[in-house]
Amino acid sequence: MDGPLPLVVLAASLLFAVVVLVYVVLDRTPDWGLLGFAGLIEAATLVLLVVAAVQVGGVDLSGGATVTLFGYLLAGLVLLPIGFVWSLAERSRGATAVLMVAGLAQAFVILRVEQVWPS
């Protein structure tokens, strides 16, 4: 997974969390723009999963690193949708903050993927 894609997904996830923080401060509920932003992050994470699946045969992942790698990538695919379902179901400031935590968790997952992947 060489290249800028993991860093772009990481930066987009952090930016998403900051945008959601602004929503929390302004006491706004998620809208279509935020959903679209999350959709772009999801699509990039899916591309990252496909790239990892293609390249995993050519790298040396020891022990359970392969399972860990794909576990993180699969978790990254469900974090934002779960956060969105929660924030849309409850429609409160706290539920919108859950979406911010989901964005931060997405960034952490991508960071861990980069740490597990051998350089």
Side-chain angles (χ1 to χ4, degrees), residues 67-98:
V67 173
T68 302
L69 176 77
F70 287 105
Y72 277 125
L73 286 170
L74 291 174
L77 286 175
V78 299
L79 285 169
L80 289 177
I82 289 173
F84 248 102
V85 168
W86 188 335
S87 68
L88 293 176
E90 195 172 319
R91 295 287 188 175
S92 69
R93 182 181 283 196
T96 304
V98 167

Side-chain angles (χ1 to χ4, degrees), residues 4-13 44:
L5 184 60
L7 294 177
V8 168
V9 176
L10 177 68
S13 299

Side-chain angles (χ1 to χ4, degrees), residues 12-36:
S13 299
L14 291 173
L15 180 61
F16 178 79
V18 169
V19 170
V20 175
L21 177 62
V22 171
Y23 274 59
V24 171
V25 169
L26 297 176
D27 199 18
R28 292 181 56 194
T29 57
D31 56 13
W32 288 105
L34 207 55
L35 182 62

